[in-house]
Every structure is written in C-alpha cells, then in structure tokens.
Amino acid sequence: MKITLDWLREHLDGTYGVDDVVATLNRIGHEVEGVENPAEKLAGFRVARVLTAEKHPQADKLQVLTVDSGDGVPLTVVCGAPNARAGLVGVLGLPGAVVPVNGMELKVAAVRGIESNGMMCSTRELELGDDHDGIIELPADAPVGTPFADYSGAGDPVIDISITPNRQDCMGVRGIARDLAAAGLGTLKPLAIPAIDGAGAPATEIATLDPEACPAFYGRTIAGVDNRVAAPEWMRRRLEAIGQRSISALVDISNYVMFDLGRPSHIYDRAKLSGALVARRAKDGETVTALNGKDYSLSDTMTVIADEREVHDIAGIMGGEHSGCSEDTTDVLIEIAYFTPERIALTGQALGLTSDARSRFERGVDPAFLDDGTAIVTRYVLDICGGTASAMTRAGSPPAADKIVDYDPALSATLGGIAIEPAKQREILEALGFGVTEGNPWKVAVPSWRRDVDGAPDIVEEVTRITGFDAIASAPLPRTDGVAKPTATPDQLVERRVRRAAASAGFHEAVTWSFVSEREAAPFGGGTWSLANPISEDLKVMRPSLLPGLLAAAARNQNRGAGSIRLFEIGRRYVGATEHPTLGVLMAGDKTPRGWQTGKAAPFDAFDAKAAALALLDAAGAPADRLQVMEAVAEAGIWHPGQSATLRLGPKAVLAEFGALHPALTKHFDVDGPVMAVQIFLDAVPAKRASGPARAAFTPPALQSVRRDFAFLAPETLAAGDLVRAIRGADKAAIVDARLFDRFAGQGVPEGQVSLAVEVELQPLEKSFTDAELKAIADKVVAAAAKVGAVLRG
C-alpha cells in the first residue's frame, strides 16, 4: 500500500513531516517498507525558455537552441525534437543531472561540432509518461529557473506500507490517517458525503442471483458524461505517484476512490451492455476476456457480473475488456457491491489472478459503506465528466450486523503488559471509530470496517499498539537456582549425534524446504498433504521423502561446477497421517579426484552408501552389527535394482535404505552420473532402554585372542552378511567377531557358486583353548554356515 504525504494531508490535519509519519506507522504496527522522494531523481532539471532556434549547420534533423535557464546567461543546447522552437517553455537538464529513464549523466559535450550545455527533455526521459515524440511544453507563464520538481509538485514523498492481511481498513489512505490520528499525529478530518439527487430509475436494471457470494449489489446510471476530458491534475498526480497509470477520467475516478477510501467500484459503458446486469454464478466453461487482455475459463464455483448476452466482470477481481469505458462513452453504470471475502479468495486462487480490487475484497471491505461509496464516486463523475444521475438501486443487503464486545480496561495490564488509564483507553478506541459505553464490563461497539475484531483480546491489542509496544516493561524470565538441567529430549540427542557423525565423515548439511512441487513428489508416489493456496507451485506438497530436496540441491551444485557432492539433511517426511524424522544422505560426482597415484577419478558406489548407512546407524544407537541386509522396498523408479538394499532389524523393521538411485529418477531431477543415497528412519531405531545399575568397569582380557580363517563355497545368491551373522552366532561365548576378508569366483570354483573367506576371532576367558576346544568351535562354525547353504571348501 503506497500513499503520498500530500494525499495523507487530505484526511489528516496537523503539523508533521514524512519522518514523523514513518516513525508513528512503525510504532503502531504498520511496517514502512520504504520511502521514495520523486524530487531526488529530478534534481538538476529546471523550467527553461527557448530564446532562439536555428538549424544545425551540420545536421538536417538537429537544431541549435539558446535557452534561458533563469541564471541570466543563455545556454547553447543542441536538440533534435521536432517541436523545439523559439518561445517554448520546457524542461532543461543541466550538466551533472542524471536522466531518470536511463541513468545517463548529462555533460557539456560537442554535438556535430557545436557545444551543447544540457538537454531539453521529453516526458519519457523524466519517467512522467510515454510520450517521446517531442520535448515537454509547459504553460508560457511557467516561472523560468524554477526547479522542475518544485514546479511539477513532484516533491511529494511516497511511503510504501506493508499492511497485514487482517487490516483491510488500512487499504486506503483514510484508514492510515485514522490510525495516525489515534496515535496523536494529527486530527482526522470529517469525510464529506455528498447528497446526490437522482432523477428517475436507473436505465439498466441490476440484481444479485448469488446472495451467498454477493449479498449486496448497488448501482446507478449517469447519462451524458464526457470521458474525453482528463481527470484533474491533482488526481492524476497522486495516482501516478503510487504507480497507477492515468487511463481516462472514469477509470481514474474509480481507481482514486479505491486507493483513497479502500472501496473498489466499477464503471460500465452502458452502450456495451445488453439487458439487466446481474451478479450470478458462472456456468462451467464460460469464458471472459479481462482488462489485462487475458482469457479466463470459469467454473460454477465462481461469481461473475453478466448481462443477458455475456460475462462482463470476474466479480470482485477484475472487469471485462468488452464493457470498459472509452473516449466515446456517454452513458455509464456505476456498480458498488459487497462480495464474500472467502469466495473472492478462492476464485482468485483458482484463476491465478491478482488485482488491487481482489486484495481488498478478500480481506473484507466495509459493508456499511456502499451508499456513501456510491455517492462519492457519483459526485466525482458529475463534477469531472458531467451528466445526469439516476436514483440508486439496491439489490440485496450487506451483512452489516452490529457487533458488541464486553471489555474490562484492566486487561491492558494483565493481558497486554501495559497499565493504561481507562480514560486514555476510551480516547484511543473512540479515535479508531469504536463506540464505548462504560460499565462493568464496558460495552464496546466494533465499527463496521473492523471485521478483524472479535473479542476482548483484540481490543487490548488496539489500545496497546496505539500506546506503543515499546512501553511494555522489560522483565527477566524466572530461573531456578543451581545448575540448569538438560532440556534436550532423547530424540533431539539422537539427532545431534548423527549430525556430528555425518559432518565428521565429510558430509555437508543441507536445509531444504519441507514443501516440494507436485513434479518433484510424483516419483515418490506423490504427497499425502498438499496446500490449497501455496505461496508458489514449487512449494505445494509436503515432502514424502528427503531425497527430492537433496537431489534438487545436488543439481544446483552441479550446475555451478561442483565435482564432488556429499550432502546430508535431518528433517521430517510426511507420509500418512504423521511426520517421520529421517536422515537423508546423498553422494554424487567423484569420490576421489584424479591424480598421479590413483589415475582416473573414482565415483561413489553402493558400498560407499552402505558404509555411510552403517556408520550413521551406529551413531544413532542402532545395533549395526546385528542388522540384516535385505532387498530394497519395491518402489518403482526410486532405487536401482541390484544396486540397493535395506538394513533391517528382523525381517520387518526397516531402519534404513541405501544404494544407487534409479537413472530415471536422477534424470528427472537433472542430476548427472550415478547418485548414491541413504535414508535412515530415525523413528524406527529402537530407543535405548532406561538405564539400570551402572555396568562394571571394562577389564581387558588376560589372554590373547585366537584367529582362525575359514573358506566356504556358497551359492552366489547368498548374502555374505547372512553368512557372517550365522558364524558370529555359532558360539556366542567364544566368538567375539567375524568378518569377511575375501570373495572369489572363477577358476576352481563351481559355476553358480562363490568362495567366501571369513576370519573368526576367538577370545579365551580363564585359560587358553585346547586343540579339542578349538576343533569343537570350528565344527560349530561349519554347522552354522551349512544352515545358510555354505560348505567348507576342501
């Protein structure tokens, strides 16, 4: 929302400057995003008179002007404008001035051999319009030598204010002025409501056939208007200052009332209407060409303004191109309606269409301002464009029920933290438009333009923000004596450990959005939860996996030349009705760079992913040495068949999945090369049991361990991990470790089988093993291997 200081003075009487306005707005909860002074970009430009104009001796399209800039010394200026002539009063840019349209600094320079001391300017060059066919022509009595910013009134600062969604009443200059007056910056001027004596019924009937979305539809017709006249200079100047292009008198009037009073309206050319104008539900498949020149397909959930022939308006959002006013317009229909905010928001979201009218209607305009708003728009039209107004027609009625809130003034201290005298609270509330009846409790009447106020806490907010939140006394939070107790939960401690473990292993932590696009979620089966009104289509679906965000991050890093990518993220997946804490790891590119020792760069492989998964599971407290490697969960298009697996605690409890991602998935995310990934499901890791008595101190074994090697022939389909696990459980009292150290297939090994060599570590406790004991343990190892299909190699 933009306002100018001059425009604000139209509603707020008092002595104040732009700094006072900015400070007060920030103090009462209206954040000022910026202040722009248009006069700054017009520094160095003056009102000047052309004294003589002669043809340039070396150029047919240039003239050599002598110009009076008010200093008493005529300047020579070379100009190519066709309308440059002696006696013309225009705008001269002096050397050192910066041309607003292109940032060029003017300098004294020779143009075809003749020195030029500046530039006579067009409206486009000063960003005051689109005309570039000639230089600006000012009235002959314009004071020569006056800074053009002062002459044009461009020294009016523009204040850009961020209005929160609940404050529709501040979507107009008057609403801002009301808040400033309540804060003590000035006095709110009374709003003059003109009395319009209409003659006869409107020439066009109006009605509302959709009272749910459009409960009130008011209007009147005006005959004999002249839209060829321009809107007053003060109106055009204010609109252009806030970024609104002046179009025609009728359009400017409608726009001005919307930004001045927060009340959108629409003016139709009656010659382009056929029959009655009604608010109704659209029909599925109906189309309308809006004022932005785009065609929109409508559904029966949307409300439109239509006549007997076609749709003319997407109700409350944007008018239609066909019924817009032109220079030839002579008869008009003024429409002011109340639209249900929720319906406007849904229609705007469905069409992806925003407008200044929508931003006001979907917040909720003042339902009690339809009559007054129509009268104000009518008066502007009659005063500027002339014509004869009809009586006003009212179809339906707005939801303008009175709202009374019980309020105790003591709440400002107990709830708001500021003790404010009751008399001061009443003064603030009345300045904001509330009605106050004192009693026990107070009865506070909420003004019709404050639909955001529902109860006593809202009243507290009003009196405290106007008083100033900086008046709340600072107070330290209570703290118990002694050493603070740890507050981290067991889950948070697990996340800390795995975060440190991943970082120490060389991975970089990524923090990606919890929302992804529908395209990114699709390969993972889509998302269970989606936003109905996302801030962006790229952030619509709650992620079903951490991999979409990590893959997108990898693609961005590759696009910027990263050769080796090691990322991890701890976050939540949103599957089913709950969220699941998860650790995601991604490896792409080179594992080791090329070098004279290693030769070519080595890529990551599935075993790197497995090693990372086991190390991080161990950090999370999972029994990594007892986990089973099993097939990956059947999810088409995510994991590479044969190069991926899961780590399970038992046949059903999946703790992690790891391996190479499917090439189709990496292509979908524009990531080059093989990509390895890990997902550890932290909520599936068994929690540590409640600690009991302290364990005995570790005592190193007194006797040296014994190592024995075994070579087995096993089917090539047997997972080596299953063999190692079986051997480790053959004699739990004696065997302390077992590990695979060789895998061989080829000459000497039968087809369809592999040779697996396992080192077994035995630990004697009270005495050294005898040969008989070692043989008995070896027999147990061979028997355990046989149970999984492996036989001792001869």
Side-chain angles (χ1 to χ4, degrees), residues 701 703-710 727-728 730-738 759-765 767 769-771 773-781:
L703 300 173
Q704 186 174 351
S705 64
V706 179
R707 289 179 173 82
R708 290 289 185 268
D709 294 343
F710 297 82
I727 292 172
R728 190 178 287 125
D731 189 336
K732 295 182 179 180
I735 299 174
V736 295
D737 194 18
E759 179 190 75
V760 179
E761 184 178 358
L762 310 174
Q763 179 61 57
L765 298 177
K767 63 182 181 65
F769 290 118
T770 65
D771 288 343
E773 290 171 334
L774 289 173
K775 184 178 184 307
I777 296 172
D779 291 343
K780 292 179 181 179
V781 169

Side-chain angles (χ1 to χ4, degrees), residues 204-444:
T204 299
E205 294 182 6
I206 62 173
T208 175
L209 304 181
D210 186 9
E212 179 187 349
C214 179
F217 190 42
Y218 290 10
R220 65 155 37 102
T221 57
I222 303 179
V225 301
D226 182 3
N227 198 32
R228 291 171 295 181
V229 301
E233 187 274 336
W234 58 267
M235 181 180 288
R236 288 184 282 111
R237 185 179 71 247
R238 289 175 179 173
L239 289 173
E240 289 168 357
I242 63 172
Q244 295 295 312
R245 183 169 59 91
S246 177
I247 298 174
S248 69
L250 292 172
V251 175
D252 289 353
I253 290 168
S254 180
N255 285 339
Y256 183 82
V257 173
M258 176 171 61
F259 289 103
D260 187 45
L261 303 174
R263 164 33 79 179
S265 61
H266 194 71
I267 302 178
Y268 296 89
D269 186 338
R270 282 193 54 249
K272 300 175 182 178
L273 301 178
S274 176
L277 193 69
V278 300
R280 62 166 172 84
R281 290 287 183 96
K283 301 172 184 176
D284 275 332
E286 272 189 312
T287 61
V288 60
T289 302
L291 286 172
N292 59 7
K294 297 181 179 180
D295 293 331
Y296 293 92
S297 179
L298 309 173
S299 72
D300 60 4
T301 63
M302 303 172 183
T303 302
V304 297
I305 309 299
D307 61 12
E308 296 175 355
R309 183 179 57 211
E310 60 185 335
V311 173
H312 288 288
D313 191 349
I314 305 172
I317 299 178
M318 188 171 289
E321 188 176 61
H322 303 304
S323 57
C325 297
S326 65
E327 287 187 355
D328 299 327
T329 298
T330 58
D331 298 334
V332 297
L333 169 66
I334 298 174
E335 168 254 303
I336 286 188
Y338 180 87
F339 299 106
T340 305
E342 293 77 13
R343 291 290 298 277
I344 296 299
L346 291 173
T347 300
Q349 293 162 14
L351 297 177
L353 181 59
T354 61
S355 67
D356 292 309
R358 173 190 165 184
S359 68
R360 287 157 175 80
F361 277 123
E362 70 181 357
R363 296 173 186 226
V365 299
D366 183 0
F369 197 68
L370 275 72
D371 281 293
D372 293 346
T374 306
I376 291 171
V377 173
T378 303
R379 176 47 61 198
Y380 278 129
V381 172
L382 295 176
D383 289 349
I384 297 170
C385 302
T388 303
S390 72
M392 191 162 72
T393 296
R394 300 171 181 84
S397 59
D402 295 336
K403 186 188 297 183
I404 305 295
V405 174
D406 291 342
Y407 177 65
D408 181 358
L411 287 174
S412 71
T414 59
L415 188 60
I418 310 175
I420 306 172
E421 290 294 327
K424 181 62 177 176
Q425 293 190 51
R426 176 168 186 153
E427 178 186 337
I428 291 172
L429 291 173
E430 290 178 342
L432 291 171
F434 292 81
V436 178
T437 302
E438 294 188 9
N440 188 19
W442 285 9
K443 301 293 184 181
V444 178

Side-chain angles (χ1 to χ4, degrees), residues 519-521 523-524 547-549 551-552 555 664-671:
R519 176 184 178 277
E520 291 172 329
F524 300 88
L547 295 180
L551 283 165
L665 180 65
T666 58
K667 183 179 180 181
H668 185 80
F669 283 87
D670 296 324
V671 182

Side-chain angles (χ1 to χ4, degrees), residues 3 8 25 161 163 169-170 172-180:
I3 66 172
L8 182 64
L25 286 172
I161 310 166
I163 305 298
D169 61 299
C170 288
V173 178
R174 185 165 182 83
I176 297 293
R178 183 186 295 110
D179 267 23
L180 290 172

Side-chain angles (χ1 to χ4, degrees), residues 86-212:
L88 180 145
V89 178
V91 181
L92 172 67
L94 296 170
V98 177
V99 181
V101 73
N102 56 21
M104 178 182 68
E105 182 179 348
L106 299 178
K107 299 178 180 179
V108 177
V111 179
R112 295 289 183 93
I114 295 181
E115 185 178 83
S116 180
N117 296 274
M119 180 177 75
M120 296 297 291
C121 302
S122 67
T123 56
R124 184 191 296 177
E125 288 161 339
L126 298 185
E127 293 185 333
L128 300 176
D130 297 327
D131 184 16
H132 194 57
D133 295 333
I135 57 178
I136 295 173
E137 294 191 38
L138 300 178
D141 58 352
V144 174
T146 302
F148 181 63
D150 294 343
Y151 173 79
S152 63
D156 189 14
V158 179
I159 306 169
D160 190 1
I161 310 166
S162 176
I163 305 298
T164 54
N166 64 315
R167 294 302 306 276
Q168 189 282 328
D169 61 299
C170 288
M171 293 296 286
V173 178
R174 185 165 182 83
I176 297 293
R178 183 186 295 110
D179 267 23
L180 290 172
L185 191 63
T187 303
L188 185 68
K189 296 180 181 179
L191 181 64
I193 305 299
I196 306 296
D197 296 325
T204 299
E205 294 182 6
I206 62 173
T208 175
L209 304 181
D210 186 9
E212 179 187 349

Side-chain angles (χ1 to χ4, degrees), residues 512-534:
T512 64
W513 296 107
S514 297
F515 294 90
V516 296
S517 67
E518 290 181 330
R519 176 184 178 277
E520 291 172 329
F524 300 88
T528 305
W529 303 98
S530 297
L531 295 178
N533 181 26

Side-chain angles (χ1 to χ4, degrees), residues 494-510:
V494 169
E495 291 185 7
R496 288 181 186 177
R497 289 199 301 271
V498 295
R499 180 177 283 109
R500 292 191 184 116
S504 63
F507 293 97
H508 301 283
E509 184 170 13

